[in-house]
Amino acid sequence: MFTHRLRLGVAMASGLAMIALVSGCQSSHKEQVPQAPATVPKGTLTAVTSDAAFVYLDGKWEVLAGGGPNDQPSDPLKTIDFSPKGTLTATTVGSNDDALTGNSVGLWLYDKGWQQVTPNGDKTVAVYGWSPSNVLYAIPDDGQTKGIWYQSNGKWQVVNGSASFGFINSIQWSPTGIMTIVAEASDGSSSVWQYVNGKWDRLDYSSVPFAADGLQVEWSPSGVLTLATSAHGVWQYVGGSWSQPGGVNSPIGNVTQLAWSPQGELLISGDSKKALGLWQLQNTGWSRVGGADAPFAKDGIRQFGWSPTGTLTVSDSTNGKIYQMESGKWTAVWNNTPSDSHSVIPITFGWSPSGLLTCNGGFLGGIWQYQSGTWNEVGGDNSPLKNQAAAPFAWSK
């Protein structure tokens, strides 16, 4: 279960931040577009360039703008997602942003115009998350206000006991609604905590090898808390202690993504020279998905996932292609790659509510959709996202 948060202090954070900055280096399309509605309708494709956010309505892109220069983000837009009830949430890269960690960002909501989120009066946010009940939690990043803050009755309040943590890398909720965080102490060690009945519980951390790693938290279909680590593979928390799934070592140490197939099988991938290919855990052993002859077996993986009908899809970060498993074979469905390998920009993909494979075009830029074996740029030549490489996109809820 992916949650709405900034992924900071984990292995993949630097890659995402750099991709966002690459997007910001592209020339901006200045064509005038109509003003968008006050809120984003459910199921609407939404995307951002470095300096504006757009929604695709009635066959055209419309800009999300505020009422004046102070009513909208002034720094480059970096990420977007939506609250459980559909409120557009965007982050911006601040003027003192660290390109490798993504610190010092602004957090904005779009609801009848842009509104900046200022927990306890602070304008920079390190990490945020929406609870299943649609409550916004945010962690200030100015070094003055400590702890996790949430909105209640229009006021910001601090979560009991959260001010004692060091840097908090992520915040999300278990399938049963338990707040779960990854915290980093002053000595660089990472730990996982859960907020249960008004108290913080540190999950057993004795004699584990990954305390110095960047950590990503996920849950299995049955609700088992699982970690992707930046140097020691995958771990799960069962019976009050950590162990490796299947009782065997992970084939790669630096895990940048883990996910479960529709059949409940665990898959992991990496995006570095020491963590290549896509791997699957079966019968207490790991194997390469598609075997050693898979087209991406020796490449880094930017992203993988399953279509609504269960088609496994992979974005290859080495060559910029997208592959799908069709009739037991891998087929490259996106072949628009640059002649110069140094110009490859890894592609992010997703599926529309109607099931159309959609991607941000890699080095080509724009937002594209795949239907009946053909890719078409959303909005065509008039798209304000044309030539905007690696543009973040999502659909409203």
Side-chain angles (χ1 to χ4, degrees), residues 106-142:
L107 180 61
W108 295 77
L109 305 180
Y110 188 84
D111 185 9
K112 301 178 179 63
W114 288 104
Q115 306 167 22
Q116 186 167 14
V117 176
T118 56
N120 199 39
D122 293 307
K123 291 187 176 182
T124 56
V125 175
V127 178
Y128 77 92
W130 289 96
S131 75
S133 59
N134 206 60
V135 176
L136 177 62
Y137 288 74
I139 302 168
D141 190 37
D142 66 352

Side-chain angles (χ1 to χ4, degrees), residues 243-276:
S243 61
Q244 292 191 283
V248 294
N249 294 335
S250 301
I252 56 178
N254 183 5
V255 179
T256 55
Q257 184 184 349
L258 65 87
W260 283 265
S261 73
Q263 294 74 34
E265 296 168 329
L266 176 61
L267 274 69
I268 62 174
S269 67
D271 191 18
S272 68
K273 292 182 179 179
K274 295 183 179 180
L276 301 177

